Amino acid sequence: MAWYLVKRLLQLIPVFFGATLLVYFLVFMTPGDPLAALCGDKGCTPGVAAALTEQYHLNDPFFVQYFSYIGGLLTGDLGVNFSGREISEVLAGAFPATARLAIIALIFEAIFGITFGLYAGLKKGGWFDSTVLVLSLIVIAVPIFVLGFVMQYFVGVKWGLAKPTVSGAADWSDLILPGIVLGLVSFAQVLRLTRTAVAENASADYVRTATAKGLTRGRVVRVHILRNSMIPVATFLGMDLGALMGGAIVTEGIFNVPGIGNQLYKALTLGDAPMVVSVVSVMVIIFCVANLLVDLLYAWLDPRIRYA
Amino acid sequence: MPENNFENNDATGRDPNPEARSHEAAVREVRETADTPAGSHQKDLGGLSTGIMMEHFVADVARTPVTATDSRSAEGAPVSLWRDAWRQLRKKPTFIIAALLIVLVIVVALFPQLFWTQDPSAATSQCLLENSNGKASPGHPMGFTAQGCDVYSRVIAGTRASLMVGLFTTIGVVVIGGIIGALAGYFGGWIDGLLARLGDIFFALPLILGALVVMQLPYFKAHRGVWTLVLVLVLFGWPQIARIMRGAVVEVRNADYVVSARSLGVSSLGILIRHIIPNAMAPVIVIATISLGTFIVAESTLSYLGIGLPPSMMSWGNDISDAKDAFRSNPMPVFWPGLALSLTVLSFIMLGDALRDALDPKARKK
Amino acid sequence: MSMSQENNRPLLEVRNLGIAFTTATGEVQAVQDSNFTVMPGETVAIVGESGSGKSTSALAAIGLLPANGRVNAGQIIFDGQDITHASEKQKVKLRGNQIGMVPQDPMSNLNPVWKVGFQVRETLKANGLPAADEDVTRVLSQAGLPDAEKRAKQYPHEFSGGMRQRALISIGLSCQPRLLIADEPTSALDVTVQRTILDHLETMTDKLGTAVLLITHDLGLAAERAQKVVVMYKGHVVEAGPALQLLRNPRHPYTQKLVDSAPSLASRRIEVARASGVEADDLLAEHPRTSMQAALKQDFVQVQDLTKVYKLRGSWGRSEDFTAVDKVSFAIPRGTTTAVVGESGSGKSTVAKMMLGLEPITSGSIVFDGQDVAKLRGKEMFAFRRRVQPIFQDPYGSLDPMYNIYRTIEEPLKVHGVGTSKEREKKVRELMDQVSLPQSMLARYPNELSGGQRQRVAIARALALNPELVVCDEAVSALDVLVQAQILNLLAELQHDLGLTYLFITHDLAVVRQIADNVCVMQKGTLVETGSTDSVFENPQTDYTRQLLAAIPGAGLINAV
């Protein structure tokens, strides 16, 4: 177990440095003046330009630039954005709303995805299964911004079931609709994944043996089928955090949620490159940590991994 | 519940004796002692204790004829994997619907002039402000945008860009991801380790986030277009196909037919090309088909965020992006391109799903 | 209830049972008009090849048919109660404490995510028995699992196959059922393990007075372990009766075939030779008189101190050496069959791989017709490959599913640039005749063929280049008894006709007896005994060989017939 953990941590290090290096390289090494990239369409005043040059060590060799940037990233010093605010401050302010949004989405997709998937998988080929399969394909196919607008229009504007846009505080209740929109595509994927795993495990030999032991159907389903089907689903939920962060940009934009995605969206429209690079780097860190957690969860769920 | 077990047993009528279990245990004990002398080697019992039930039964040979050992008569044409898959597919309604929709989308992308009433990009076509947010009318079945442009013509015209991005990105990731995955899976060892880490690095940047960072750079902003977008999406999209390909190759790498080919003296590369890749292609084709849909979504999402295709280019994402501000007053210019986009993506995902079922190796092993 | 009453009423009675499966191609009647009874405390064996409906019939009794299967005719009566269409609730009550099950494959029948103790405990709990730690330990140790207290806290993947099977037996018998369905309980295990486990199972069920319904493909095993044997063929019960009577006097043609093809002690090669006029004595004579005998005496392949060490990656980045093959020496005379026999982990397959030049040799040497295999490079290696060809075990895995039969057999000719495409076609057709496959099959794909047919194709491919040495790695182990006999006959005929030399890797001593001239017995990487088949079988020199021989199921029985 300890060896497994150490191995995973060791593997995470090159991934972290590789991914941040990739982002950094793309921003600063693609054709064109990095200063121009940082300053965006409107250009910088000489003062800002000087500050940026110093902040990103633009006059130093590439790796010095990169490591000072990593140092800043790890110590929470992300520099300032166009409007001169500390980026770390902006992110800290926006973080709670995004965290709440992601939690709602994850809970929604986990609970409903697993429940529906379990039921469909146990009755594979039945009417519920067939209906749910087609519906889930449709949900997966509709892009999140189309879905967002449609839900906002009907649920928020036409039927008045929820506030169409989020006001300043971004309470839990305000975020339910955006959270569901954000989690909807993943919900369909969790559903399909659970269904496949359940259908496969339901015909596994050990499930037949468990039945032959005299266990009730309920216990067989809970203790043997569902428990074993959770292994791939848990992995997916962890990986899904990356997709949720991508989706959050669009969802937060549509519902005007004051979160990190919205900041990124604004930064994109303003051409605020320092902000974009910082937000994406922070997201990469979150993603790496989430992956590590998934690995731990995976080892906890599957004893075979622990001893590998 | 365990406490009730004895009563429950009685209720099912297993044993008429109310003290069922304990009595039975006693009987067993008696039997055990009684049987010990003969019980040690069962075949010696012959037919003694249960002789009554043990007549020698032989089935009527005419009713149970013995056919030739181990023959399988095959009728009809030989069935290769692909033919078998096709036989299953052509009976599947989801496949038929998906295939018809895809054919339609391709025809629209190739020959938009067959569908639109006027070329929306031509100089002669004018978006008249008097039509701004106009309702559907004859010749304009989907109404007008805020600029007074015909939504229908724009939806038709937007097909080509979306499809091109999806198609060429898919080709790109299959070639690059496929080669990397096949090499990693086939050679294993340090090559595998290196390529796996490389894939992990790209995997840590989700497709949309990665593309976003690149597309907002001035250089890319200045050169926006189908090919730039394809390049960026391939850059961040290949690891998925590589992983699938690697898994499939690892699965067939140690198959006995591969070992047979090695002991024939076929070279490594020959085995990879002639035996391994053809057998590993099925899952890649499935995922590639589904990915085609995903890349179309990615294109439209980036265009929606204003950093995908240039505004001058007609695409569904751009149309939705343009119409989103007037959404509450006039939702139709968002709705129609959104529907076209969703249907196209749905067809590719449905096609991939149908292919997955048809190419499932488990279903084939009879 | 008196004992005689209990003894006269069948515990399980299956009457005119029909079972159908719904498949993509329609309804398939898997079992038809099947009848058998099990008396209390009695052991009944159902014997049949794969797909004969033997497992299906037994599993229907506890309602464990797969989701697409259903009973569509007849009755299943357990202890006087018709349970054919019993409710799920009733079945749950029967399972475990009335009817227990020991499944076939120990690898897949324990849930990998739960500790073994947990899986025993939930069985006890579900059947209302005390389920404290001591009870779990007791149940496990009764099944002969050593160190049960510690083992209960481990996961299935930490168990060997034999240990898992013991755990499954303890689960099946933990609630002292009156009937135990044992579905090929040991066919996935090594023979010696198989024997101890079956002995233990027999002792336990004797003690508990449990009736056993034993499902097996092995007639010898059935006759040895059961009082009554039921033979099933294509969903029908074709013959049933007392075990010995049925074995000595089989009346249905299928049973007769089955008894005939059960392992006999005469070497099949000698039989074939005799049929074509060569006397067996000549073949084995001390002083060669004919050229064929002279060839027999020549050492064609010399294996000297062959060793293979694998580096295993352990945790914390350490690597450990694992010696798979340890200083093995033997010789293969030309035109003979040498069998390497051993249980799993004995290193026999590694020997085969090195012989084929597929694994580098760590130390020692294989000299093939005067050439050191380890030193062959490039062109010499390519030429060597032409002379040595393999046939593998799994007829599903050994043919490329994307190649049709013609392409499969033609591939070796193409790779070695033999002849024009016309000549190659002629050769492929000849090969099809040699392995008795119809020409019409050339356009077919492997998945359209049966297991035996595929193995014939694999043989044809191996013979395409006229090799001198054929390495058969468990080449008949995956086949049903009758098919196995056919393939062994084919191999013996081909050897006689073409003067082939075989290296036969197998775990099955009965097969060795039939086909091999010389035997090498391997255990844990070392060679424990080697000699002519007759001397090893008649007069084994080591305990291990004696153990192996004693473990052949029903060997004594069949011999007596």
Side-chain angles (χ1 to χ4, degrees):
Chain A
M1 181 71 181
W3 166 239
Y4 173 78
L5 275 183
V6 170
K7 212 163 66 179
R8 284 294 151 164
L9 269 171
L10 287 176
Q11 281 178 356
L12 196 63
I13 293 167
V15 171
F16 170 76
F17 281 103
T20 45
L21 185 66
L22 184 68
V23 173
Y24 197 81
F25 180 83
L26 287 170
V27 173
F28 290 94
M29 288 294 128
T30 42
D33 180 12
L35 208 53
L38 292 172
C39 291
D41 303 334
K42 293 168 204 153
C44 303
T45 59
V48 176
L52 282 173
T53 308
E54 200 196 331
Q55 187 192 333
Y56 288 95
H57 299 267
L58 291 181
N59 295 329
D60 291 325
F62 175 74
F63 276 97
V64 176
Q65 292 176 28
Y66 169 68
F67 279 108
S68 63
Y69 157 76
I70 286 289
L73 202 58
L74 293 178
T75 52
D77 175 18
L78 300 171
V80 291
N81 68 359
F82 270 14
S83 37
R85 283 183 64 195
E86 282 285 331
I87 293 178
S88 49
E89 232 171 71
V90 176
L91 289 183
F95 184 73
T98 303
R100 272 180 227 138
L101 191 67
I103 289 171
I104 290 173
L106 272 178
I107 290 178
F108 165 74
E109 64 183 68
I111 291 179
F112 287 93
I114 291 170
T115 316
F116 285 28
L118 175 67
Y119 194 72
L122 289 176
K123 309 247 173 199
K124 193 181 170 190
W127 67 268
F128 180 81
D129 183 37
S130 320
T131 318
V132 153
L133 273 187
V134 174
L135 286 179
S136 65
L137 276 190
I138 294 175
V139 170
I140 292 172
V142 180
I144 191 162
F145 52 95
V146 176
L147 209 62
F149 278 122
V150 170
M151 295 274 276
Q152 188 187 40
Y153 184 71
F154 284 104
V155 182
V157 180
K158 275 227 155 157
W159 302 332
L161 294 177
K163 279 191 244 170
T165 49
V166 174
S167 48
D171 295 331
W172 288 98
S173 59
D174 292 340
L175 291 173
I176 288 178
L177 181 60
I180 290 176
V181 168
L182 181 59
L184 211 52
V185 173
S186 306
F187 150 75
Q189 279 164 338
V190 170
L191 188 159
R192 292 177 75 87
L193 196 61
T194 311
R195 173 203 176 257
T196 312
V198 165
E200 199 167 290
N201 285 325
S203 57
D205 283 349
Y206 59 80
V207 167
R208 197 186 65 178
T209 304
T211 311
K213 291 197 290 195
L215 306 188
T216 56
R217 181 69 180 158
R219 186 172 168 91
V220 172
V221 169
R222 265 182 292 121
V223 177
H224 294 280
I225 300 179
L226 189 59
R227 170 65 173 71
N228 290 51
S229 304
M230 281 306 95
I231 297 170
V233 175
T235 317
F236 174 83
L237 285 175
M239 301 290 287
D240 191 43
L241 215 57
L244 286 186
M245 289 186 296
I249 308 165
V250 175
T251 318
E252 291 185 2
I254 294 173
F255 292 95
N256 200 29
V257 179
I260 291 179
N262 208 3
Q263 293 293 343
L264 185 59
Y265 182 58
K266 277 185 199 155
L268 276 177
T269 43
L270 293 173
D272 188 346
M275 187 76 188
V276 173
V277 174
S278 301
V279 173
V280 171
S281 301
V282 169
M283 284 180 170
V284 167
I285 294 175
I286 295 175
F287 187 67
C288 285
V289 172
N291 265 335
L292 187 67
L293 290 178
V294 167
D295 282 339
L296 296 187
L297 188 65
Y298 196 65
W300 179 68
L301 282 172
D302 191 343
R304 287 164 294 187
I305 298 292
R306 256 177 267 170
Y307 299 87
Chain B
M1 186 221 124
E3 286 81 291
N4 295 332
N5 213 23
F6 297 139
E7 282 84 357
N8 286 344
N9 279 336
D10 282 330
T12 62
R14 177 187 62 94
D15 194 324
N17 194 321
E19 301 148 44
R21 196 114 185 132
S22 58
H23 175 76
E24 190 182 82
V27 170
R28 279 186 196 180
E29 232 151 79
V30 172
R31 199 166 18 149
E32 187 188 317
T33 45
D35 281 0
T36 346
S40 59
H41 217 66
Q42 292 199 343
K43 64 172 187 283
D44 296 338
L45 275 167
L48 288 178
S49 63
T50 52
I52 321 150
M53 302 304 295
M54 267 226 192
E55 77 267 11
H56 190 152
F57 163 83
V58 182
D60 182 4
V61 181
R63 285 194 58 216
T64 54
V66 179
T67 48
T69 305
D70 181 49
S71 65
R72 186 177 288 179
S73 61
E75 281 156 26
V79 183
S80 68
L81 176 81
W82 299 109
R83 188 190 285 260
D84 193 38
W86 169 241
R87 272 189 196 171
Q88 284 181 45
L89 281 176
R90 65 182 177 194
K91 281 182 250 159
K92 253 189 132 108
T94 51
F95 169 77
I96 297 167
I97 296 171
L100 287 177
L101 277 171
I102 289 171
V103 170
L104 178 70
V105 171
I106 292 172
V107 172
V108 170
L110 288 175
F111 312 105
Q113 61 275 21
L114 297 177
F115 295 89
W116 63 42
T117 39
Q118 53 174 170
D119 184 350
S121 59
T124 49
S125 90
Q126 282 173 349
C127 298
L128 301 170
L129 271 180
E130 65 203 51
N131 288 333
S132 176
N133 292 334
K135 295 254 179 293
S137 59
H140 307 282
M142 295 179 187
F144 294 91
T145 66
Q147 275 77 42
C149 303
D150 177 32
V151 174
Y152 172 71
S153 302
R154 289 190 69 91
V155 167
I156 293 293
T159 311
R160 184 180 285 178
S162 297
L163 197 67
M164 270 173 77
V165 172
L167 187 68
F168 289 111
T169 309
T170 305
I171 293 174
V173 295
V174 167
V175 170
I176 293 175
I179 291 174
I180 290 180
L183 292 178
Y186 186 56
F187 291 105
W190 65 270
I191 299 181
D192 187 18
L194 189 76
L195 292 174
R197 289 294 88 70
L198 191 67
D200 283 348
I201 289 169
F202 280 88
F203 230 71
L205 267 177
L207 184 69
I208 292 290
L209 284 185
L212 210 110
V213 171
V214 177
M215 291 303 292
Q216 56 99 31
L217 297 171
Y219 179 80
F220 285 88
K221 262 192 182 164
H223 297 86
R224 281 203 288 182
V226 169
W227 298 111
T228 318
L229 204 52
V230 167
L231 184 81
V232 171
L233 289 177
V234 169
L235 181 66
F236 292 100
W238 66 267
Q240 194 198 11
I241 293 284
R243 282 189 180 188
I244 300 286
M245 188 69 170
R246 180 187 172 278
V249 167
V250 166
E251 208 166 281
V252 291
R253 179 179 64 184
N254 293 320
D256 282 345
Y257 58 81
V258 172
V259 184
S260 292
R262 273 176 66 201
S263 46
L264 278 177
V266 184
S267 65
S268 285
L269 199 65
I271 289 176
L272 186 63
I273 291 167
R274 275 187 254 163
H275 289 286
I276 293 182
I277 290 183
N279 279 291
M281 271 324 275
V284 173
I285 289 170
V286 170
I287 298 297
T289 315
I290 295 174
S291 301
L292 211 160
T294 329
F295 293 132
I296 293 179
V297 173
E299 175 274 313
S300 60
T301 307
L302 290 172
S303 298
Y304 165 83
L305 291 173
I307 50 170
L309 294 172
S312 59
M313 215 165 183
M314 254 174 286
S315 88
W316 295 329
N318 276 340
D319 284 354
I320 295 170
S321 183
D322 290 344
K324 67 175 188 282
D325 295 330
F327 178 69
R328 294 213 191 151
S329 55
N330 182 18
M332 286 302 128
V334 170
F335 176 76
W336 288 115
L339 184 70
L341 179 60
S342 305
L343 276 179
T344 309
V345 176
L346 180 64
S347 343
F348 281 107
I349 293 180
M350 257 169 31
L351 182 72
D353 209 49
L355 277 173
R356 190 202 307 268
D357 290 346
L359 294 173
D360 184 7
K362 274 184 220 143
R364 244 176 98 75
K365 220 176 206 181
K366 293 166 208 169
Chain C
M1 187 198 288
S2 79
M3 254 186 74
S4 64
Q5 248 182 326
E6 199 189 50
N7 268 346
N8 286 334
R9 192 170 76 186
L11 182 63
L12 178 73
E13 194 175 357
V14 169
R15 285 189 199 149
N16 307 324
L17 186 68
I19 297 168
F21 285 96
T22 322
T23 65
T25 48
E27 190 107 318
V28 177
Q29 193 72 30
V31 173
Q32 218 166 355
D33 211 11
S34 165
N35 288 287
F36 57 89
T37 53
V38 182
M39 301 302 288
E42 171 186 63
T43 299
V44 174
I46 307 184
V47 181
E49 59 195 35
S50 49
S52 62
K54 57 185 191 305
S55 295
T56 312
S57 302
L59 292 178
I62 24 177
L64 285 183
L65 289 177
N68 61 340
R70 65 193 171 84
V71 174
N72 65 353
Q75 279 179 307
I76 300 166
I77 295 158
F78 181 76
D79 201 22
Q81 274 270 315
D82 187 343
I83 56 163
T84 325
H85 299 288
S87 68
E88 180 63 24
K89 219 174 159 187
Q90 284 171 305
K91 280 180 189 156
V92 167
K93 275 175 205 145
L94 280 176
R95 290 174 194 146
N97 57 353
Q98 294 296 309
I99 307 178
M101 181 183 83
V102 177
Q104 174 168 15
D105 181 2
M107 295 302 157
S108 63
N109 274 289
L110 287 166
N111 188 333
V113 308
W114 296 112
K115 288 176 181 161
V116 173
F118 174 92
Q119 301 188 48
V120 175
R121 180 175 293 118
E122 68 171 359
T123 317
L124 294 172
K125 266 192 189 158
N127 291 287
L129 295 171
D133 282 350
E134 310 89 80
D135 300 298
V136 171
T137 311
R138 178 175 45 79
V139 165
L140 279 170
S141 55
Q142 274 168 359
L145 193 74
D147 214 358
E149 199 179 339
K150 203 182 106 213
R151 290 288 176 191
K153 297 193 183 85
Q154 291 185 323
Y155 288 97
H157 69 265
E158 298 169 77
F159 278 40
S160 70
M163 281 158 62
R164 289 188 207 197
Q165 197 59 36
R166 283 181 194 274
L168 284 164
I169 288 174
S170 84
I171 287 172
L173 287 173
S174 61
C175 308
Q176 313 194 346
R178 299 169 68 200
L179 173 67
L180 184 75
I181 297 175
D183 186 1
E184 304 255 17
T186 54
S187 55
L189 304 173
D190 283 330
V191 269
T192 50
V193 185
Q194 189 173 347
R195 177 154 200 101
T196 38
I197 285 189
L198 283 174
D199 283 347
H200 198 89
L201 185 66
E202 200 171 303
T203 324
M204 279 180 86
T205 50
D206 273 359
K207 211 159 126 196
L208 296 168
T210 309
V212 177
L213 186 55
L214 176 69
I215 298 153
T216 177
H217 64 279
D218 187 335
L219 193 59
L221 186 98
E224 187 179 73
R225 301 283 168 179
Q227 288 107 355
K228 203 158 78 186
V229 171
V230 177
V231 181
M232 286 195 76
Y233 175 64
K234 303 214 159 148
H236 292 271
V237 170
V238 294
E239 191 160 353
L244 284 178
Q245 197 182 328
L246 194 131
L247 200 64
R248 293 201 174 114
N249 184 21
R251 289 198 224 141
H252 192 276
Y254 176 72
T255 323
Q256 287 164 354
K257 261 177 116 172
L258 209 57
V259 172
D260 283 347
S261 50
S264 83
L265 290 182
S267 159
R268 207 156 288 256
R269 206 173 62 83
I270 294 175
E271 278 177 15
V272 171
R274 203 174 276 146
S276 59
V278 182
E279 277 303 308
D281 292 345
D282 283 353
L283 278 171
L284 299 169
E286 278 301 316
H287 303 286
R289 274 169 300 192
T290 62
S291 61
M292 185 181 179
Q293 287 159 5
L296 274 176
K297 286 287 136 192
Q298 218 180 59
D299 276 351
F300 183 44
V301 181
Q302 277 282 1
V303 176
Q304 197 67 47
D305 290 331
L306 187 66
T307 303
K308 176 75 199 179
V309 180
Y310 286 107
K311 289 233 180 290
L312 296 185
R313 254 199 291 171
S315 45
W316 304 103
R318 281 179 303 224
S319 75
E320 290 161 40
D321 281 354
F322 169 70
T323 309
V325 177
D326 194 3
K327 294 204 165 136
V328 168
S329 306
F330 62 93
I332 308 174
R334 192 186 284 272
T336 65
T337 299
T338 300
V340 176
V341 64
E343 299 184 307
S344 51
S346 62
K348 57 186 192 300
S349 286
T350 312
V351 170
K353 281 189 191 131
M354 289 190 282
M355 186 69 74
L356 286 162
L358 295 172
E359 280 286 350
I361 295 166
T362 308
S363 69
S365 67
I366 298 175
V367 178
F368 175 84
D369 204 14
Q371 287 175 302
D372 189 343
V373 174
K375 295 203 178 96
L376 297 177
R377 293 282 176 279
K379 265 201 168 147
E380 289 169 334
M381 191 69 195
F382 195 63
F384 165 75
R385 296 208 179 282
R386 206 172 156 162
R387 302 173 67 188
V388 181
Q389 281 295 301
I391 300 169
F392 291 107
Q393 169 176 17
D394 179 12
Y396 290 86
S398 59
L399 304 179
D400 189 332
M402 308 295 277
Y403 278 38
N404 66 18
I405 305 309
Y406 181 80
R407 249 185 107 191
T408 302
I409 303 179
E410 193 206 13
E411 190 191 14
L413 300 169
K414 246 183 155 169
V415 169
H416 285 265
V418 177
T420 62
S421 75
K422 264 259 162 59
E423 287 164 353
R424 287 201 293 265
E425 190 183 332
K426 196 170 149 259
K427 175 75 181 170
V428 171
R429 291 185 184 279
E430 269 172 39
L431 285 162
M432 288 293 274
D433 289 342
Q434 266 178 342
V435 297
S436 314
L437 284 176
Q439 307 276 339
S440 60
M441 216 164 251
L442 282 172
R444 304 258 156 220
Y445 287 84
N447 70 308
E448 300 175 85
L449 270 54
S450 70
Q453 286 170 336
R454 287 175 212 225
Q455 209 58 313
R456 285 171 192 270
V457 174
I459 294 171
R461 175 181 56 189
L463 295 180
L465 293 167
N466 303 320
E468 292 153 72
L469 176 66
V470 177
V471 179
C472 306
D473 190 355
E474 300 273 12
V476 294
S477 307
L479 303 172
D480 282 325
V481 188
L482 292 182
V483 184
Q484 182 175 332
Q486 284 185 344
I487 298 290
L488 285 175
N489 262 335
L490 174 68
L491 287 171
E493 276 169 31
L494 290 168
Q495 180 170 47
H496 182 255
D497 295 346
L498 306 172
L500 295 170
T501 307
Y502 290 142
L503 178 65
F504 217 92
I505 311 291
T506 183
H507 69 277
D508 190 341
L509 281 150
V511 169
V512 173
R513 186 59 160 150
Q514 279 178 68
I515 195 153
D517 301 292
N518 297 303
V519 193
C520 305
V521 181
M522 285 187 71
Q523 184 193 18
K524 291 182 186 146
T526 57
L527 191 68
V528 293
E529 188 162 354
T530 178
S532 77
T533 308
D534 289 332
S535 69
V536 171
F537 273 70
E538 303 298 323
N539 189 15
Q541 297 298 310
T542 61
D543 281 344
Y544 182 69
T545 313
R546 272 191 284 274
Q547 250 182 46
L548 277 180
L549 286 169
I552 304 176
L557 275 176
I558 307 248
N559 213 355
V561 174

